[in-house]
Amino acid sequence: MNDKALMTLEYDKIILRLTEAAATSLGKEEASKLRPSANLAEVRRRLAATDEAVRAVALKGVPPFGGITDVRPSLGRAKLGGVLGPSELADIAGLIMGSRRIRKYMAAVNDEIDIPLLSDLCEPLIDAKPIEDEIRRCIDEQGEVMDAASPELASIRRDIRIYADRAREKLDSLIRSSSVQKMLQDVLVTMRGDRYVIPVKQEYRSHFGGIVHDTSGSGATLFIEPEAVVQMNNKLRELKLREQDEIERILRRLSGLVGEKAELLASDAESLGYIDFIFAKAALADSMFATLPEVNGDGELRLKRARHPLIDPKRVVPIDVELGGAYSAIIVTGPNTGGKTVSLKTVGLLSLMAMSGLFIPADDGSRMCVFDGIYADIGDEQSIEQSLSTFSSHMTNLIGMLGQVTSRSLVLLDELGAGTDPAEGSALAIAILEHLHRIGCRILATTHYSELKAYAYNREGIINASMEFDVATLRPTYRLLVGVPGRSNAFAIAERLGLPRSIIEHARGQVSEEELKVDSMIASLERDRRLAESERQTAERLRKEIESLRQQLEDERFKFQEQKAKLLEDARDEARQAVAKARREAEEIIADLRRMAMEEGASLKEHKLIEARKRLEDSVPDPVAKPRRTGHGKESRIEAGDEVKVFSLGGQKGHVVELAGGEALVQLGILKMKVPLSDLEAVRKSASAAPARTPVNVTTVRRSREDVRTELDLRGATLDEALVETDRFLDEAFLANLGTVYIIHGKGTGALRTGIQEFLRKHKHVKSYRLGNYGEGGAGVTVAELK
């Protein structure tokens, strides 16, 4: 990628913001190395990784990168057998802990959404928790070796405390003496070189034995270690040396543990840094309100409401740009400070960002091209030291890029041909544009020359554009208008500012007739554009009003359907109550008949009583189907492979296997059933038009409440036959939403009853079961309650 273009388009400022968004030094290092790629597959992979990070943050929040530092130098020394310090080991424990947290975070995200690229980055991270635990056991959060690191260290430090207390107590008793206090500069015990001393006035040196360790700056005070504590201090010194030796041994042991895994831990550090870098891209996208662009290698570029990322979002004016379709070059004209240069930089910088795997600050649906090079000649780069004029500097840049540009390049030219005689400058600008156009690259150029407007108007594949200027306010609007060349506003501005009309008319007379015609044509085009824009806004307003009215009608229709359903439900509730009353009366009659039959020695067939009860149950009206919304007036076409909800089954979800007429074959768990299309609502469209794969060993069931019985008579069947029939019967009853079913197996030897009840105990649709009560068939019938 052209380094000069990166500097001109301020790509380094985007990298700086990306670096600041990284949470770790490892991530910042990765971010600082980011450069655009000209490889389409690589760009897509980079953008896919950023998209995964954006979705992960939206789902689970920012990942926990705390504690992760760059420990690669320490790991390198440990690998070579070096002894690491306590703080270095604590940092390595922090890296291991951070790695474990990131793995846990990614696993939680991966349970809900697919993040293949991030998962692949986490896959090689090792589990070194035993090393972390051992370091944590020996070293505290302040980077100090703890007493618990070894029994020997704990014993040594205990002795150190004992001897230190004894030395202090001895010196405290000495300085409390009134005869001694007059010889001391200060009544206190201090330390010099890890040895306890007291500050003695110089003239009383002979009154104390022991060792002089230090003197004050003036020489008036001597820091003396009295003879009484010399042995104690010697013992303390010996214990301190033993303590250092033991700490050295502990650190060497821990460093050895780290050294065994040094290469793997260094690889983990790099992986974690790269993961942090990817999430930094997600954080940058969030701060810029950026979106994921589509990318291609066909030279097509379409930006929707693109904003320059380095301009205050409250002030930036979005632009729409298309290149690579009907035209491959845009010639932008307009007044100075109108935003032409910003438009060029916006296109160039957003292209660099997309090629770097960064989201771009533009609306959804924007398309970016992966160019093999981006070349920019923007700004006045004249140099006094090199004696280069404005024109010369532009020519130098152009000559440098002309030898590198290909058909897959993007060329950005600001003020093409400026800095020399207008006639020669415009001719040279046209020649340069013609050369680049023949190469086939994508071009975005700005100019003040009216000759280039005519050139773009007559040349296929090149289109005019301009920066809008409001003559009424004498201010640019910074809006890019593609298809409309810029017109001169000098006369209008001069007149608004108060220049005498006679001077303005004289100036108009100096302008050629052809230029006046061009200016008049541009003014006409601008009026037409404003009129079209006004009509578009009116049409948009009317569309929104119609949509609002349609929504109101839909809401009213839904309320009406709800009221209708409620009235029908109330009526059917009354009917059900009447039937329930009749059922109770019938049960009483049946009970009376049975009692009479028993008293008279007669017998009644239990299954006939059950059939009578079923006829009563069938007389209960079905519940009224609740109305449902129609998808806001849009046809929700159901296709094979779609995930759907079945309303008659309480909104249970399934997948459409195939369509036949007005019905769909729907896969519900291990079952398939045919359902009317009117009873379905699409939940999620399938990724392709291919029908859903049909699992093996499934049972196809046609839902039909009228065909489903509430009792199953198994008398005379073998146990194996009975179990098959019972399983089929329970599936049908479950799909028909039956709450209670009756299985007639008779009394006999009880073997069939035992087998049936053992089967019911394990069946997934059965909530509970019991023998029939008096009047239900007794021990000859099993009553099952379904889930």
Side-chain angles (χ1 to χ4, degrees):
M1 194 57 61
N2 187 280
D3 289 338
K4 186 178 183 304
L6 297 181
M7 180 181 66
T8 301
L9 296 172
E10 301 179 285
Y11 179 78
D12 59 312
K13 294 183 179 179
I14 297 297
I15 295 301
L16 179 61
R17 292 184 60 176
L18 177 64
T19 302
E20 293 171 347
T24 69
S25 60
L26 293 162
K28 294 180 187 297
E29 180 182 337
E30 287 290 340
S32 66
K33 297 187 296 186
L34 179 64
R35 290 295 179 271
S37 171
N39 184 287
L40 178 60
E42 171 65 13
V43 170
R44 284 176 172 164
R45 189 192 67 80
R46 290 181 177 185
L47 286 170
T50 306
D51 184 50
E52 287 182 13
V54 168
R55 292 186 290 118
V57 170
L59 184 67
K60 296 293 183 181
V62 179
F65 286 107
I68 298 175
T69 56
D70 187 2
V71 296
R72 288 174 295 179
S74 301
L75 292 171
R77 289 195 295 110
K79 181 182 176 183
L80 296 174
V83 179
L84 305 182
S87 59
E88 292 178 295
L89 290 167
D91 288 342
I92 291 172
L95 174 76
I96 297 171
M97 179 185 67
S99 173
R100 187 173 66 258
R101 288 178 174 175
I102 293 299
R103 290 200 312 273
K104 183 177 179 181
Y105 172 90
M106 293 300 182
V109 174
N110 200 40
D111 286 342
E112 301 190 35
I113 59 174
D114 290 332
I115 48 169
L117 295 176
L118 290 175
S119 295
D120 287 346
L121 286 173
C122 287
E123 184 66 27
L125 295 178
I126 66 170
D127 183 7
K129 194 171 187 303
I131 297 177
E132 177 197 350
D133 291 342
E134 185 62 16
I135 293 175
R136 299 284 190 204
R137 188 184 68 82
C138 298
I139 299 173
D140 62 19
E141 295 179 355
Q142 287 72 41
E144 299 292 336
V145 179
M146 296 186 291
D147 294 357
S150 74
E152 179 66 17
L153 182 61
S155 175
I156 293 171
R157 287 182 171 173
R158 185 168 58 251
D159 290 344
I160 288 174
R161 288 190 290 270
I162 292 172
Y163 277 94
D165 290 343
R166 289 177 181 176
R168 287 192 62 87
E169 289 173 2
K170 186 68 174 177
L171 291 177
D172 284 342
S173 64
L174 181 64
I175 64 176
R176 281 198 295 270
S177 172
S178 58
S179 60
V180 173
Q181 287 181 1
K182 66 179 181 179
M183 303 178 190
L184 302 179
Q185 197 72 37
D186 291 299
V187 183
L188 55 83
V189 176
T190 184
M191 296 192 75
R192 288 293 186 274
D194 292 336
R195 300 181 78 88
Y196 288 101
V197 297
I198 55 176
V200 179
K201 295 177 182 179
Q202 196 276 339
E203 58 268 28
Y204 295 106
R205 166 68 182 88
S206 59
H207 289 77
F208 290 88
I211 305 168
V212 176
H213 287 279
D214 197 5
T215 62
S216 65
S218 63
T221 304
L222 304 177
F223 294 92
I224 297 176
E225 177 186 2
E227 184 68 33
V229 295
V230 169
Q231 293 302 321
M232 294 181 187
N233 278 335
N234 287 341
K235 183 62 175 178
L236 279 172
R237 179 62 178 164
E238 178 187 340
L239 290 170
K240 289 283 187 181
L241 293 174
R242 287 177 56 195
E243 179 189 30
Q244 290 303 316
D245 290 342
E246 181 62 15
I247 289 175
E248 179 79 9
R249 188 191 67 79
I250 293 168
L251 295 179
R252 186 176 298 279
R253 180 176 63 83
L254 294 176
S255 300
L257 293 176
V258 171
E260 293 174 0
K261 301 286 186 180
E263 289 188 7
L264 295 174
L265 290 173
S267 177
D268 282 4
E270 293 176 359
S271 296
L272 291 170
Y274 195 76
I275 293 171
D276 179 27
F277 155 66
I278 293 174
F279 278 92
K281 293 195 292 182
L284 183 65
D286 180 66
S287 67
M288 290 182 175
F289 303 100
T291 61
L292 172 65
E294 301 176 27
V295 290
N296 66 88
D298 304 324
E300 295 184 12
L301 184 148
R302 182 175 70 243
L303 288 171
K304 296 182 178 181
R305 292 183 57 78
R307 288 96 57 194
H308 195 288
L310 301 178
I311 299 178
D312 184 353
K314 297 179 181 177
R315 295 175 49 244
V316 67
V317 177
I319 62 171
D320 296 321
V321 181
E322 285 194 35
L323 266 178
Y327 42 86
S328 60
I330 300 177
I331 310 300
V332 185
T333 53
N336 288 329
T337 71
K340 300 192 302 297
T341 302
V342 171
S343 296
L344 257 66
K345 286 189 172 183
T346 300
V347 173
L349 184 55
L350 266 58
S351 296
L352 292 173
M353 290 175 63
M355 293 164 64
S356 301
L358 300 173
F359 281 18
I360 61 172
D363 282 3
D364 287 328
S366 294
R367 290 172 57 84
M368 302 301 296
C369 176
V370 176
F371 298 104
D372 64 359
I374 296 178
Y375 304 90
D377 178 41
I378 298 175
D380 185 358
E381 300 181 16
Q382 60 178 311
S383 170
I384 295 177
E385 293 180 0
Q386 300 179 18
S387 300
L388 291 177
S389 65
T390 300
F391 178 75
S392 298
S393 67
H394 282 301
M395 285 301 102
T396 301
N397 291 337
L398 281 168
I399 292 169
M401 70 175 64
L402 287 177
Q404 305 176 55
V405 170
T406 71
S407 60
R408 293 185 58 241
S409 300
L410 172 65
V411 179
L412 306 171
L413 303 173
D414 192 25
E415 300 297 347
L416 183 60
T420 187
D421 177 74
E424 294 181 354
S426 61
L428 190 59
I430 291 173
I432 292 171
L433 285 174
E434 187 67 22
H435 174 76
L436 292 172
H437 189 56
R438 282 198 300 271
I439 292 175
C441 62
R442 302 297 178 260
I443 309 167
L444 194 59
T446 69
T447 183
H448 282 296
Y449 294 134
S450 59
E451 291 84 357
L452 266 70
K453 303 175 188 176
Y455 166 74
Y457 184 77
N458 295 319
R459 191 71 169 83
E460 184 179 355
I462 303 178
I463 193 169
N464 276 308
S466 62
M467 303 308 298
E468 187 179 52
F469 188 86
D470 190 343
V471 180
T473 62
L474 302 181
R475 291 179 180 274
T477 65
Y478 304 105
R479 294 178 60 203
L480 179 65
L481 307 177
V482 178
V484 180
R487 57 179 296 216
S488 172
N489 295 294
F491 295 153
I493 293 173
E495 186 175 2
R496 290 273 299 177
L497 293 176
L499 189 68
R501 192 171 187 81
S502 58
I503 297 176
I504 294 174
E505 292 301 326
H506 181 71
R508 290 185 192 276
Q510 303 302 312
V511 181
S512 67
E513 184 177 351
E514 288 185 0
E515 290 183 357
L516 288 175
K517 287 181 179 179
V518 170
D519 197 55
S520 176
M521 177 192 70
I522 294 173
S524 176
L525 287 172
E526 190 168 351
R527 284 194 301 271
D528 291 344
R529 185 199 62 77
R530 290 181 182 276
L531 179 60
E533 178 68 15
S534 174
E535 290 178 349
R536 188 195 67 78
Q537 292 176 356
T538 300
E540 180 65 17
R541 178 177 55 80
L542 291 174
R543 186 194 66 78
K544 289 181 178 179
E545 290 178 359
I546 292 171
E547 180 65 20
S548 176
L549 289 173
R550 191 208 61 76
Q551 184 61 46
Q552 291 178 13
L553 289 174
E554 171 63 17
D555 291 342
E556 291 177 1
R557 185 198 68 80
F558 183 74
K559 290 179 181 178
F560 170 76
Q561 294 291 345
E562 279 189 327
Q563 292 174 354
K564 175 183 175 183
K566 187 176 186 306
L567 290 174
L568 287 173
E569 184 63 30
D570 291 344
R572 296 194 178 187
D573 280 343
E574 293 180 4
R576 278 194 291 269
Q577 292 173 8
V579 172
K581 181 180 178 182
R583 181 186 291 117
R584 288 194 300 272
E585 293 175 351
E587 291 288 350
E588 293 174 359
I589 294 171
I590 292 173
D592 291 341
L593 290 173
R594 183 179 289 108
R595 185 176 61 254
M596 292 169 60
M598 292 178 65
E599 291 175 353
E600 296 176 3
S603 65
L604 293 175
K605 297 293 185 180
E606 294 292 343
H607 68 279
K608 291 185 177 181
L609 297 178
I610 293 173
E611 290 174 359
R613 182 180 294 105
K614 180 181 181 299
R615 288 195 298 272
L616 286 172
E617 290 175 348
D618 290 342
S619 66
V620 179
D622 293 334
V624 180
K626 298 294 183 183
R628 61 178 185 271
R629 295 188 181 272
T630 60
H632 303 292
K634 297 179 182 177
E635 290 294 334
S636 180
R637 184 179 177 185
I638 295 175
E639 299 177 348
D642 289 354
E643 184 179 354
V644 294
K645 288 196 298 187
V646 183
F647 287 98
S648 62
L649 297 182
Q652 186 170 350
K653 294 182 180 179
H655 289 83
V656 176
V657 177
E658 62 182 15
L659 300 173
E663 291 184 326
L665 184 62
V666 181
Q667 182 78 45
L668 297 160
I670 65 167
L671 302 178
K672 288 195 296 184
M673 59 184 292
K674 289 186 177 180
V675 183
L677 290 176
S678 59
D679 195 26
L680 300 177
E681 180 178 87
V683 177
R684 185 172 63 237
K685 302 297 288 180
S686 63
S688 65
R693 186 174 60 189
T694 305
V696 297
N697 299 328
V698 297
T699 304
T700 302
V701 179
R702 178 185 295 272
R703 180 183 61 82
S704 178
R705 186 182 180 91
E706 292 75 16
D707 295 337
V708 179
R709 300 163 294 164
T710 59
E711 99 285 343
L712 174 65
D713 193 344
L714 298 174
R715 288 175 294 181
T718 65
L719 179 58
D720 289 340
E721 293 172 345
L723 294 181
V724 172
E725 285 297 311
T726 302
D727 186 55
R728 180 186 60 78
F729 170 66
L730 291 173
D731 283 342
E732 291 177 353
F734 177 76
L735 290 177
N737 290 326
L738 296 181
T740 304
V741 293
Y742 301 87
I743 301 173
I744 305 171
H745 42 66
K747 298 178 181 178
T749 62
L752 185 59
R753 178 181 68 242
T754 302
I756 291 294
Q757 291 185 350
E758 179 64 19
F759 179 74
L760 293 178
R761 186 176 65 83
K762 300 178 181 178
H763 200 281
K764 61 183 178 180
H765 295 326
V766 177
K767 180 167 63 176
S768 63
Y769 63 88
R770 59 178 174 81
L771 287 175
N773 293 326
Y774 184 76
E776 291 180 325
V781 175
T782 294
V783 182
E785 298 289 335
L786 303 186
K787 296 181 179 178

